[in-house]
Amino acid sequence: MTTETMSPEPARARPVFSSEDSQLLRTAVLHYLKTIEDQPESVKYSNLYHRLGRLG
């Protein structure tokens, strides 16, 4: 004999960041990118900057 239990529906997913947050993050990344522009890791931050631009 099996019993079925009714499980509640999962809560609706909410975004972690707002569109205002993405603009603030993009500005911060750009500032840092200018600081480290001559270092090899600047490529990663440049890519992040462009990806953040697609969010907002």
Side-chain angles (χ1 to χ4, degrees):
M1 180 181 215
T2 60
T3 59
E4 291 183 29
T5 58
M6 299 292 279
S7 60
E9 240 179 76
R12 192 171 173 185
R14 296 186 332 197
V16 176
F17 295 111
S18 70
S19 56
E20 184 178 341
D21 292 340
S22 65
Q23 184 58 43
L24 289 170
L25 287 168
R26 192 167 192 245
T27 301
V29 170
L30 178 61
H31 177 74
Y32 185 65
L33 182 57
K34 288 179 181 178
T35 303
I36 64 160
E37 64 186 344
D38 296 330
Q39 297 178 19
E41 68 181 5
S42 67
V43 173
K44 294 179 183 181
Y45 284 93
S46 178
N47 292 337
L48 174 60
Y49 177 77
H50 290 290
R51 286 193 307 270
L52 286 169
R54 289 188 230 142
L55 291 177

